[in-house]
Amino acid sequence: MRMTHEHLQADSPNPFPWLRGVERQVPPGKYLLVDGAAPTIRFDARNLLDRPAENRVLASMPGIHHHGVYAASAAKKEPVISFLYHKLSSDGQPETTERLIIFEGIGYGEHSAHKGQPPTWYLVGPQIGTITSGTAPDFEPSDSYLDSKHFSIACITGGPLGEAILANPVG
C-alpha cells in the first residue's frame, strides 16, 4: 500500500504535546519552523552552565542526552543536548560521535536535506561540538558564529520514533 502525504502526516508520531495538530498545517512538500527560533549565534563556551535541561519533554525523550544549558543572556537560557545521528561519515561508516547542540526550536515537514523521506519532526539549533563516548566534549572555537541546523528526530539512534532511518541514504 502506498502511503500518501496526508496519511503520513496524520500518523506521524508527535513527541511535542504542545504542538498537537501543527503538523497538519504544514503544506505537503514543505518544511517550517513551528516552535522556537533558528538564529545564528555567537558561540562562547564560557556561557555553558552545568544545570539540568529546562525542557521537560526533551528530558524524557529517548536517545537525547542532557548537558546543561547555554546562557546567551541572563534572560535566554536554552538546553544543551546531544544525540547520535544515524548517518554515514565521509568514509561510508556509521557515525560514532554524538552531535552537541543548543536546542532552540522545532521544525516539521519535508526538509530539503532529507529528500525522499516522509515528513517528520526536527530538533533545531546550532551544533556547538561533538562527543565521543568516554571523552570530554570537543567544542567549536569560542567566538564562532554558528548557524542553526535541522536534525530529523527520525534519524536519532535510539530516538523517540523507534528504529532510526539513515540521514543520508545513497541514491
Side-chain angles (χ1 to χ4, degrees), residues 15-16 18-19 22 31-41 55 57-58 61 64 76-81 83 101-108 111 120-127 147-153 156:
F16 308 106
W18 68 95
L19 295 174
V22 168
Y31 172 83
L32 295 174
L33 185 69
V34 295
D35 189 44
T40 296
I41 67 155
N55 186 303
V57 172
L58 287 179
M61 206 175 268
I64 306 292
K76 185 175 181 195
K77 295 179 177 69
E78 304 290 354
V80 175
I81 60 173
F83 47 85
I101 73 166
I102 299 169
F103 173 69
E104 295 196 310
I106 300 166
Y108 183 82
H111 194 277
T120 194
W121 297 94
Y122 288 77
L123 301 179
V124 179
Q127 183 173 330
D147 291 327
S148 286
K149 296 182 179 183
H150 303 257
F151 301 97
S152 167
I153 65 170
I156 294 175

Side-chain angles (χ1 to χ4, degrees), residues 28-119:
K30 300 294 181 185
Y31 172 83
L32 295 174
L33 185 69
V34 295
D35 189 44
T40 296
I41 67 155
R42 182 175 176 201
F43 175 67
D44 186 339
R46 295 173 294 192
N47 292 347
L48 291 169
L49 305 175
D50 187 21
R51 313 191 329 206
E54 296 170 349
N55 186 303
R56 288 188 182 143
V57 172
L58 287 179
S60 65
M61 206 175 268
I64 306 292
H65 306 106
H66 303 275
H67 301 279
V69 297
Y70 184 76
S73 69
K76 185 175 181 195
K77 295 179 177 69
E78 304 290 354
V80 175
I81 60 173
S82 70
F83 47 85
L84 181 58
Y85 218 43
H86 188 52
K87 185 173 181 175
L88 300 179
S89 64
S90 59
D91 64 358
Q93 298 301 308
E95 289 187 355
T96 57
T97 58
E98 292 188 21
R99 295 158 185 257
L100 187 66
I101 73 166
I102 299 169
F103 173 69
E104 295 196 310
I106 300 166
Y108 183 82
E110 296 178 48
H111 194 277
S112 60
H114 292 265
K115 289 279 187 208
Q117 294 181 1

